[in-house]
Every structure is written in C-alpha cells, then in structure tokens.
Amino acid sequence: MLIPMSSPDITAAERAAVAAVLEGGALSRGPQTDRFEAAIAAAVRSPHAVAVNSGTAALHLALIAAGVREHDLVVTTPFSFIASSNAVLYQRGVPIFVDVDPRTGNIDPALAAEAVAAVRAGDGRARRWLPPSLRHAGSRAASRLTALLPVHCFGQPAEMAPLVRTATENGLRLIEDACEALGSEYQGRPVGTFGDAAAFAFYANKQVTTGEGGMLVTPHRRWDRLFRSLRNQGRDTDRDGTYLHLGYNYRLSEMSAALGAVQVSRLDELLARRERVAAWYRLRMTPHQPLIEPPATGGALTRVSWFAYVVRLAVGINRRRVMRQLEARGVPTRPYFPPIHLQPVYRDRFGYQAGDFPVAEDLGRRALALPFSSVMTEEQVDYVTTHLVSVVKQQRAIVAA
Ligand SMILES: *Cc1c(COP(=O)(O)O)cnc(C)c1O
C-alpha cells in the first residue's frame, strides 16, 4: 500500500465550476471571487472577507493594516508554520517569540501577557524577551509593541479569551493566523472573529483548497477597503488609475475562487469526514499511550477543525528512524513543526539558540504528522497505525536493550 500524505477532496461540482469559469472568459476579478468571499464571510460569521492568492499574503496584508513597520515588535509563537512570523519580517518588524502550551502547542497566554508587560515596561525585564541579537542596550530605542499574532495550531483554537484581554488592555492589534483552522470554534464562536483581522489559507492540504489561495476576514470596514486596494497594486477602489498605497499583486484567480466557493459549500461535509478520520486514528492510538500520544482535543465549547493528525512520540524514540522505516512501508510522515527560531534564517538574523523555547523545541523533536485527509479510508488508517505502532515498539526495544 502507498498512502498519500494528503489528498484534496474534489467532486464533479468543483470540476464543473472551474470549467464554467474557463468557458466564461473572466479569469480574474469577477463574480466567483465575490461569491467565494461571501461564502467565507458567512461560514466564519464575519462581516468582511477579502480573497488573496495565499495565506501568507493574507498575513502580510493584516500586519500592514495593523500598522507594523520597521523595528515594531509582534508577540507570536515559534511553534508554527514559518509563514506566520515571516510576515512580520516582510514589514521589517521583529517577532517576539513566546513559548507554547505543551498540551495544545498553541501560544501560552500567560507567557504572552508576561512578555507584553515586560516589553512595555521597557526596563531590564524587557531584554529577556527580545531576540538575542537585539538585547544590547540602546538597540530597541525605536521599537514599538504593535500586535499580538496567535496561531491556531493544527486546527486547535488558541486560548483566545486571555489573549483578547491582553491585546485590549495594552492597545495592541490582534491578528489571528487561522490558516489551519477554518471552521474551528472557541467558546462556541468561529476562530477568525476574535481580533482585528484573521488569515485563512487554501493550499492543497488545507481543509478547503483552491490550489493556492487565502482570505482575510475583518470586522473593520476600513480594513476591508485597505485589503482590496493592497491586493490590487494599491489602486483606489473607487477611482481606477489612482494608486494610494504601495500595493501588491495578491489577487486570486477566478478559477481558484470558483473552486473555493464549491468547497466552502461542502464545508460541513469536509470537516465531518476529517473528524471521522481523526476518530479512527484516536481509537487506534489510545491503547499505545504514552509511547504514542494522540493530539489533545478541546474543551466542551471548543470545536477542532482537523487540519493534520499530529502525534507525539515518547522521549527517546528516534523520530528520524521511525520516519525512514515508515517511508519504506509506503507511509509518508512530516516533522511538524520545526521550531521557527531555530531555522537558519531566524538564527542568523536574531541569534537564537537551542534551549530558548524548550516546550516548542520538545514538541518540534517529538511531533509526527501522519497521512491525513477527508478521503482517507479506515483501511488506510489501520495500515498507518499498525506500521507506526510496530516501528515505534521496535525502537523502544532497541532503546531498552
Ligand atoms: C498554510 C499556513 C500558512 C500559509 O498559507 P499559504 O497559503 O501556504 O501561504 C500560514 N500559517 C500557517 C499556520 C499555515 O499552516
């Protein structure tokens, strides 16, 4: 058997919608984009949605709207896909990393509050939170704390109530990276509606795909207009031929938008199928705790929209060897996430070292994403689990010997 890491869930309805765009002739900036935006706005229960061509582009525009500019500080998590903090660097801002909750892998709200208080106090306490290369005195004279950027990791909602409080009490913009969490809910409310803007993504392995694509949602009418201008080279949305801002080409094609609109109309079905696959995995993993730990699920009012199925291997298990042996049996896996601060691009710029964010690093060493999609069969889940368990048990025998 050869199991794909992920597979898009495309039906005849998606194929027909894309074909109709190709026959109609309007391939960009047309009715499909409007339709897709309206569908996401309704699904997320947000008043404004603006389509762009990637989740990364959405994050970038959200940080522009938040006013992040050179030297500005943005409190965020090192345990994420690298795009979340790269967007801060695009604006020449500085991510202030805060370690994560070991259960969920999401930013620890108490540490985030502590970092915000320390950085705002601006005394010696602030230094501990700055990147090592910026800790010497005087280097932060011009820095401003601008925004809070939590990530809903693998579809598990971040602990939003205390994060909202920290942002409100300190006059910070709150931007949600909801790229892995379309359809997730925190305390009965969809993620993406807790702050000033949120980014969603539609790469091929996400819950809803447009091939490549992204979406911004915001409660602010002014931000909606700004996003529409910025995605279209900074054009005035009312007067063509006038350019108001330094803009980008972050427009989504009509083919992608048509695909997305159909996918969103199937959102409940897609999420239910993913939930079912996650339940098959959970049932098979549970007896093998703590050797293999299944992902945490939320409390009563939290709904997880499953993006990936990421287990944790017990300390001492050689993950690289497990991955190699599974690969040889037709089971691809991924080490989600390699912590951002330890990537060469961040180490070189900011001087981070191993040990700086121990929880994120521990998760980063032990986490293993298994094949996952809405079209996975129970038989495939069986196959993956049987081989994972056998390979890990073999490893444990080696460690014990
Ligand atoms: C997928 C993802 C992104 C970026 O989305 P793209 O569409 O690939 O640019 C950003 N943040 C997180 C957490 C993601 O998983």
Side-chain angles (χ1 to χ4, degrees):
M1 210 183 284
L2 209 147
I3 315 268
M5 188 65 209
S6 73
S7 322
D9 188 330
I10 304 295
T11 65
E14 280 91 343
R15 284 192 287 273
V18 175
V21 171
L22 293 172
E23 278 151 27
L27 303 189
S28 186
R29 298 206 320 128
Q32 297 304 325
T33 300
D34 299 341
R35 221 180 116 213
F36 184 33
E37 289 174 345
I40 290 285
V44 176
R45 287 186 254 145
S46 175
H48 303 286
V50 181
V52 289
N53 53 21
S54 72
T56 307
L59 286 166
H60 184 196
L61 297 192
L63 291 175
I64 293 174
V68 175
R69 46 185 162 77
E70 190 162 12
H71 304 308
D72 281 4
L73 309 177
V74 176
V75 171
T76 190
T77 166
F79 191 67
S80 171
F81 183 54
I82 197 160
S84 59
S85 53
N86 278 357
V88 178
L89 302 198
Y90 298 160
Q91 285 305 102
R92 300 175 178 275
V94 177
I96 299 292
F97 289 126
V98 164
D99 214 343
V100 297
D101 177 336
R103 202 178 76 87
T104 62
N106 283 323
I107 192 166
D108 181 326
L111 285 178
E114 194 183 321
V116 167
V119 169
R120 291 203 71 197
D123 53 20
R125 282 190 306 155
R127 206 161 300 154
R128 144 161 192 236
W129 294 99
L130 295 173
S133 71
L134 303 181
R135 274 178 203 165
H136 50 280
S139 72
R140 48 174 301 281
S143 63
R144 265 183 339 143
L145 183 58
T146 315
L148 209 54
L149 175 59
V151 178
H152 306 293
C153 183
F154 310 137
Q156 172 87 247
E159 197 57 66
M160 291 313 291
L163 292 171
V164 167
R165 206 174 318 125
T166 298
T168 309
E169 286 173 2
N170 293 279
L172 303 177
R173 292 300 194 179
L174 177 61
I175 309 296
E176 291 171 77
D177 180 340
C179 288
E180 301 186 353
L182 180 64
S184 293
E185 292 179 4
Y186 173 80
Q187 295 184 347
R189 184 166 145 193
V191 304
T193 58
F194 288 86
D196 296 287
F200 290 95
F202 311 115
Y203 180 67
N205 65 350
K206 311 274 168 162
Q207 292 91 326
V208 156
T209 186
T210 60
E212 298 281 0
M215 189 77 72
L216 284 145
V217 298
T218 177
H220 309 308
R221 177 186 295 275
R222 200 171 54 80
W223 284 33
D224 173 275
R225 289 175 66 84
L226 180 61
F227 294 148
R228 287 176 196 283
S229 171
L230 289 174
R231 76 173 170 186
N232 193 23
Q233 308 287 8
R235 277 186 180 85
D236 189 329
T237 49
D238 298 324
R239 284 170 301 165
D240 209 6
T242 304
Y243 296 83
L244 301 169
H245 312 281
L246 173 61
Y248 303 85
N249 175 3
Y250 284 169
R251 297 182 303 262
L252 187 70
S253 82
E254 284 283 281
M255 289 80 83
S256 290
L259 176 52
V262 177
Q263 289 260 290
V264 176
S265 74
R266 297 177 55 220
L267 184 62
D268 288 343
E269 175 207 339
L270 292 174
L271 297 188
R273 283 168 181 256
R274 293 176 90 98
E275 170 83 51
R276 191 174 57 160
V277 174
W280 287 335
Y281 265 130
R282 170 167 292 277
L283 193 68
R284 288 161 178 77
M285 296 295 169
T286 304
H288 304 289
Q289 283 176 297
L291 202 54
I292 303 167
E293 257 178 77
T297 46
L301 283 169
T302 296
R303 177 193 188 198
V304 176
S305 159
W306 290 92
F307 164 60
Y309 199 83
V310 183
V311 297
R312 291 177 202 165
L313 305 181
V315 176
I317 300 293
N318 183 329
R319 183 180 61 179
R320 209 155 21 147
R321 195 169 305 152
V322 168
M323 292 179 70
R324 243 194 341 258
Q325 292 181 350
L326 286 174
E327 185 78 51
R329 297 168 192 213
V331 179
T333 53
R334 299 277 185 275
Y336 283 172
F337 291 113
I340 296 173
H341 65 285
L342 296 181
Q343 300 314 307
V345 49
Y346 282 78
R347 274 187 196 247
D348 293 351
R349 211 178 264 237
F350 296 118
Y352 287 114
Q353 291 176 16
D356 285 340
F357 301 100
V359 181
E361 291 168 29
D362 175 57
L363 298 182
R365 273 190 296 272
R366 300 197 289 121
L368 189 67
L370 305 178
F372 189 72
S373 73
S374 58
V375 297
M376 227 177 146
T377 64
E378 190 164 13
E379 191 194 2
Q380 290 177 317
V381 171
D382 248 342
Y383 184 89
V384 171
T385 313
T386 303
H387 286 283
L388 174 67
V389 168
S390 116
V391 162
V392 168
K393 284 200 165 153
Q394 208 178 311
Q395 280 277 320
R396 188 187 48 180
I398 295 167
V399 171

Short mmCIF file of all heavy atoms in Angstrom, two decimals, residues 53-57 59 80-84 151-153 177-180 200-203 205-206 212-214 307 337, ligand 1:
data_model
loop_
_atom_site.label_atom_id
_atom_site.label_comp_id
_atom_site.label_asym_id
_atom_site.label_seq_id
_atom_site.Cartn_x
_atom_site.Cartn_y
_atom_site.Cartn_z
N ASN A 53 -4.16 35.63 -2.85
CA ASN A 53 -3.68 34.40 -3.50
C ASN A 53 -2.86 33.47 -2.62
O ASN A 53 -2.35 32.46 -3.11
CB ASN A 53 -2.96 34.74 -4.81
CG ASN A 53 -1.87 35.77 -4.62
OD1 ASN A 53 -1.39 35.95 -3.51
ND2 ASN A 53 -1.49 36.43 -5.69
N SER A 54 -2.72 33.78 -1.33
CA SER A 54 -2.14 32.79 -0.39
C SER A 54 -2.46 33.21 1.04
O SER A 54 -2.81 34.37 1.30
CB SER A 54 -0.63 32.65 -0.57
OG SER A 54 0.04 33.79 -0.06
N GLY A 55 -2.29 32.27 1.93
CA GLY A 55 -2.44 32.58 3.35
C GLY A 55 -1.33 33.52 3.80
O GLY A 55 -1.54 34.40 4.65
N THR A 56 -0.16 33.34 3.22
CA THR A 56 0.98 34.20 3.57
C THR A 56 0.68 35.65 3.17
O THR A 56 0.96 36.59 3.93
CB THR A 56 2.25 33.69 2.85
OG1 THR A 56 2.41 32.31 3.14
CG2 THR A 56 3.47 34.44 3.30
N ALA A 57 0.11 35.84 1.98
CA ALA A 57 -0.27 37.18 1.53
C ALA A 57 -1.30 37.78 2.49
O ALA A 57 -1.24 38.97 2.82
CB ALA A 57 -0.83 37.13 0.11
N LEU A 59 -1.65 37.15 5.68
CA LEU A 59 -0.95 37.57 6.91
C LEU A 59 -0.19 38.87 6.68
O LEU A 59 -0.20 39.76 7.54
CB LEU A 59 0.03 36.47 7.35
CG LEU A 59 -0.61 35.23 7.97
CD1 LEU A 59 0.41 34.09 8.04
CD2 LEU A 59 -1.15 35.55 9.35
N SER A 80 4.99 27.03 14.80
CA SER A 80 4.02 27.32 13.74
C SER A 80 4.68 27.05 12.41
O SER A 80 5.89 26.82 12.33
CB SER A 80 3.61 28.79 13.83
OG SER A 80 2.83 29.18 12.70
N PHE A 81 3.88 27.13 11.36
CA PHE A 81 4.44 27.14 10.03
C PHE A 81 5.16 28.49 9.87
O PHE A 81 4.66 29.51 10.33
CB PHE A 81 3.31 27.00 9.00
CG PHE A 81 3.78 26.94 7.59
CD1 PHE A 81 4.74 26.02 7.20
CD2 PHE A 81 3.29 27.82 6.65
CE1 PHE A 81 5.19 25.97 5.89
CE2 PHE A 81 3.73 27.78 5.33
CZ PHE A 81 4.69 26.85 4.95
N ILE A 82 6.31 28.46 9.21
CA ILE A 82 7.21 29.62 9.23
C ILE A 82 6.58 30.90 8.67
O ILE A 82 6.99 32.01 9.01
CB ILE A 82 8.53 29.27 8.49
CG1 ILE A 82 9.62 30.28 8.85
CG2 ILE A 82 8.31 29.17 6.97
CD1 ILE A 82 11.02 29.78 8.58
N ALA A 83 5.54 30.76 7.83
CA ALA A 83 4.92 31.94 7.21
C ALA A 83 4.38 32.92 8.25
O ALA A 83 4.35 34.13 7.99
CB ALA A 83 3.78 31.50 6.29
N SER A 84 3.94 32.43 9.43
CA SER A 84 3.32 33.35 10.38
C SER A 84 4.32 34.41 10.85
O SER A 84 3.97 35.58 10.95
CB SER A 84 2.67 32.60 11.56
OG SER A 84 3.59 31.82 12.25
N VAL A 151 -1.50 31.72 16.62
CA VAL A 151 -1.75 30.78 15.52
C VAL A 151 -2.62 29.65 16.09
O VAL A 151 -2.34 29.16 17.18
CB VAL A 151 -0.42 30.19 15.00
CG1 VAL A 151 -0.66 29.17 13.90
CG2 VAL A 151 0.52 31.30 14.53
N HIS A 152 -3.65 29.26 15.36
CA HIS A 152 -4.47 28.12 15.78
C HIS A 152 -3.84 26.87 15.18
O HIS A 152 -4.11 26.50 14.04
CB HIS A 152 -5.92 28.29 15.31
CG HIS A 152 -6.53 29.58 15.74
ND1 HIS A 152 -6.79 29.87 17.07
CD2 HIS A 152 -6.93 30.68 15.04
CE1 HIS A 152 -7.33 31.08 17.15
NE2 HIS A 152 -7.42 31.58 15.94
N CYS A 153 -3.00 26.26 15.99
CA CYS A 153 -2.09 25.22 15.51
C CYS A 153 -2.83 23.91 15.19
O CYS A 153 -3.50 23.35 16.05
CB CYS A 153 -1.10 25.03 16.64
SG CYS A 153 0.18 23.90 16.38
N ASP A 177 -3.73 34.02 13.06
CA ASP A 177 -3.34 33.14 11.95
C ASP A 177 -4.24 31.91 12.05
O ASP A 177 -4.00 30.99 12.83
CB ASP A 177 -1.87 32.75 12.04
CG ASP A 177 -1.45 31.84 10.87
OD1 ASP A 177 -2.34 31.23 10.24
OD2 ASP A 177 -0.24 31.72 10.61
N ALA A 178 -5.32 31.95 11.25
CA ALA A 178 -6.31 30.86 11.25
C ALA A 178 -6.14 30.00 10.01
O ALA A 178 -7.09 29.32 9.58
CB ALA A 178 -7.71 31.45 11.34
N CYS A 179 -4.93 30.00 9.45
CA CYS A 179 -4.68 29.29 8.19
C CYS A 179 -4.92 27.79 8.29
O CYS A 179 -5.14 27.12 7.29
CB CYS A 179 -3.25 29.56 7.71
SG CYS A 179 -3.03 31.24 7.11
N GLU A 180 -4.85 27.24 9.52
CA GLU A 180 -5.06 25.80 9.69
C GLU A 180 -6.39 25.53 10.37
O GLU A 180 -6.62 24.41 10.83
CB GLU A 180 -3.93 25.22 10.54
CG GLU A 180 -2.57 25.45 9.91
CD GLU A 180 -1.43 24.77 10.64
OE1 GLU A 180 -1.65 24.22 11.74
OE2 GLU A 180 -0.32 24.80 10.10
N PHE A 200 -6.85 33.13 6.53
CA PHE A 200 -7.14 31.73 6.23
C PHE A 200 -6.33 31.35 4.99
O PHE A 200 -5.96 32.22 4.19
CB PHE A 200 -8.64 31.53 5.96
CG PHE A 200 -9.49 31.68 7.19
CD1 PHE A 200 -10.10 32.89 7.49
CD2 PHE A 200 -9.66 30.61 8.07
CE1 PHE A 200 -10.87 33.03 8.64
CE2 PHE A 200 -10.42 30.74 9.21
CZ PHE A 200 -11.03 31.96 9.51
N ALA A 201 -6.10 30.05 4.82
CA ALA A 201 -5.27 29.59 3.68
C ALA A 201 -5.92 28.39 3.02
O ALA A 201 -6.58 27.58 3.68
CB ALA A 201 -3.87 29.23 4.16
N PHE A 202 -5.68 28.27 1.71
CA PHE A 202 -6.33 27.22 0.92
C PHE A 202 -5.36 26.44 0.05
O PHE A 202 -5.67 26.04 -1.07
CB PHE A 202 -7.44 27.85 0.06
CG PHE A 202 -8.36 28.75 0.85
CD1 PHE A 202 -8.40 30.11 0.58
CD2 PHE A 202 -9.14 28.25 1.88
CE1 PHE A 202 -9.22 30.95 1.32
CE2 PHE A 202 -9.96 29.08 2.63
CZ PHE A 202 -10.01 30.44 2.34
N TYR A 203 -4.15 26.25 0.56
CA TYR A 203 -3.19 25.37 -0.10
C TYR A 203 -3.80 23.96 -0.16
O TYR A 203 -4.75 23.66 0.56
CB TYR A 203 -1.88 25.38 0.71
CG TYR A 203 -0.79 24.52 0.14
CD1 TYR A 203 -0.20 24.84 -1.08
CD2 TYR A 203 -0.36 23.36 0.81
CE1 TYR A 203 0.79 24.04 -1.62
CE2 TYR A 203 0.63 22.57 0.27
CZ TYR A 203 1.21 22.90 -0.94
OH TYR A 203 2.18 22.11 -1.47
N ASN A 205 -3.33 21.07 0.97
CA ASN A 205 -3.54 20.17 2.11
C ASN A 205 -4.46 20.75 3.18
O ASN A 205 -4.70 20.13 4.22
CB ASN A 205 -2.20 19.77 2.74
CG ASN A 205 -1.47 20.94 3.37
OD1 ASN A 205 -1.84 22.09 3.21
ND2 ASN A 205 -0.40 20.64 4.10
N LYS A 206 -5.01 21.95 2.96
CA LYS A 206 -5.87 22.56 3.98
C LYS A 206 -7.30 21.99 3.90
O LYS A 206 -7.65 21.33 2.91
CB LYS A 206 -5.91 24.08 3.82
CG LYS A 206 -4.55 24.74 3.67
CD LYS A 206 -3.88 25.07 4.99
CE LYS A 206 -2.43 25.45 4.73
NZ LYS A 206 -1.74 26.16 5.75
N GLU A 212 -3.87 27.18 -4.61
CA GLU A 212 -3.22 28.21 -3.81
C GLU A 212 -4.27 29.27 -3.54
O GLU A 212 -5.08 29.57 -4.42
CB GLU A 212 -2.05 28.87 -4.58
CG GLU A 212 -0.91 27.96 -4.95
CD GLU A 212 0.04 27.67 -3.79
OE1 GLU A 212 -0.17 28.18 -2.67
OE2 GLU A 212 0.99 26.90 -4.03
N GLY A 213 -4.25 29.83 -2.35
CA GLY A 213 -5.21 30.90 -2.08
C GLY A 213 -5.27 31.25 -0.61
O GLY A 213 -4.77 30.50 0.25
N GLY A 214 -5.86 32.39 -0.33
CA GLY A 214 -6.00 32.83 1.06
C GLY A 214 -7.18 33.77 1.20
O GLY A 214 -7.79 34.18 0.20
N PHE A 307 -6.90 19.88 10.83
CA PHE A 307 -6.04 20.20 9.69
C PHE A 307 -5.09 19.04 9.44
O PHE A 307 -4.95 18.57 8.32
CB PHE A 307 -5.25 21.48 9.96
CG PHE A 307 -4.07 21.66 9.04
CD1 PHE A 307 -4.27 21.73 7.67
CD2 PHE A 307 -2.78 21.73 9.54
CE1 PHE A 307 -3.18 21.87 6.80
CE2 PHE A 307 -1.70 21.87 8.68
CZ PHE A 307 -1.90 21.94 7.31
N PHE A 337 6.02 20.92 13.95
CA PHE A 337 6.71 21.90 13.13
C PHE A 337 8.17 21.96 13.55
O PHE A 337 8.41 21.90 14.76
CB PHE A 337 6.13 23.30 13.40
CG PHE A 337 4.74 23.53 12.93
CD1 PHE A 337 3.73 23.71 13.84
CD2 PHE A 337 4.44 23.59 11.57
CE1 PHE A 337 2.45 23.97 13.42
CE2 PHE A 337 3.16 23.86 11.15
CZ PHE A 337 2.17 24.03 12.07
C1 LIG B 1 -0.61 27.15 5.45
C2 LIG B 1 -0.24 28.13 6.51
C3 LIG B 1 0.11 29.45 6.21
C4 LIG B 1 0.35 29.98 4.83
O1 LIG B 1 -0.52 29.67 3.88
P1 LIG B 1 -0.07 29.63 2.34
O2 LIG B 1 -1.36 29.67 1.65
O3 LIG B 1 0.71 28.38 2.12
O4 LIG B 1 0.74 30.86 2.07
C5 LIG B 1 0.34 30.32 7.26
N1 LIG B 1 0.29 29.92 8.53
C6 LIG B 1 0.01 28.66 8.86
C7 LIG B 1 -0.04 28.29 10.30
C8 LIG B 1 -0.25 27.71 7.86
O5 LIG B 1 -0.48 26.43 8.19
#
